[in-house]
Amino acid sequence: MDNGPVLLPVETAIAADATASQMLISAARAATLKLANQRDAAEPHAPVLIRGADSFTLNSARPIADPALDLANPLKGPFKAEKIEWHSAAVAAMELARIAGILPAFMADPENAGEAERVSATDLDAWSDTSQISIATRARLPVAAADDAQIIAFRSADDTREHVALIIGEQDSAREPLVRLHSECLTGDILGSLKCDCGPQLDAALGAMADEAKSGGWGVLLYLRQEGRGIGLVNKLRAYQLQDQGFDTVDANRRLGLPDEARDFPVAARMLELIGVRSIRLMTNNPKKVDALTGAGVIISERVQHQLPDNPHNRQYLATKRDRSGHLLK
């Protein structure tokens, strides 16, 4: 890492004999290990550098990185948190781990780790530059809700994710479309998971847009490839495992050392811009979506309530979204 030490991701390391005197972990994980109080961990993705009484090996580093190993390895430490002289590089490492969908834990300046690959904190600039996103192609796509729908695919040279927009009804610049931002959820959208409300929300949104089209309006579904609220599929399933131990969705993410909300909503604003939409009626109960789109220049003339009944498996999840993430009931 430019302006910082060599950092070896604990989860993906294969050098069995690698050792290091320090590890870089997230503030939330540090709080779990009693190295930071809750105020210090208010930004769970912030980096914390720790040193142990003995050097870290991969075997000793993995239980520090992965909370799934907590019960089998209850005694860790003692550890000491140290000042980070290369803070911007550490912040970039945390973000790169999230983007890669791996646990945010690194051995710092390890020995016997193999050849290092140079990474710069500025590499993240291209990732967050929504101006690089463009329309790749479009096609007619009959769907159950509307057999005359059109799908538009978006791509960026600096981002492997391929977002799509589904337009239902006849695009009309004189009328504001009904818009839904839907983040990818393999378990809910495809497998019918009852742990969340993603699948029913998606179906209901498409149905509402189809009804809108029947009355002369139109709708846009923005399907964003941001699984697990931006932490990736594997980490989302790790959070599910922690939820089975009694943690709610926010605490589960933080126990993993990850933010509970890491989605990139400005991507949606860029997609709307590319299809010529500036003013919308937004289907959401999440004020963060409203704020993010408004901040990116999208005019939201109306927030349309989008809430579905709960079930025994997602009741706590929905309550957590309401009580801890600020989702609205109406």
Side-chain angles (χ1 to χ4, degrees), residues 303-320:
R303 184 188 67 80
V304 179
Q305 181 184 5
H306 192 51
Q307 185 174 358
L308 298 170
D310 60 15
N311 67 60
H313 302 280
N314 69 16
R315 190 163 295 138
Q316 182 182 3
Y317 165 73
L318 297 180
T320 299

Side-chain angles (χ1 to χ4, degrees), residues 23-42:
M23 280 186 65
L24 184 71
I25 60 176
S26 71
R29 189 65 182 144
T32 299
L33 299 172
K34 310 302 182 186
L35 285 171
N37 62 35
Q38 291 303 314
R39 180 175 298 176
D40 294 333

Side-chain angles (χ1 to χ4, degrees), residues 172-202:
D172 181 357
S173 60
R175 297 188 63 164
E176 295 175 322
L178 183 63
V179 173
R180 170 70 182 168
L181 275 60
H182 189 90
S183 296
E184 178 183 32
C185 179
L186 173 71
T187 50
D189 298 342
I190 306 301
L191 302 178
S193 168
L194 298 176
K195 284 182 68 70
C196 64
D197 58 345
C198 299
Q201 279 195 338
L202 176 59

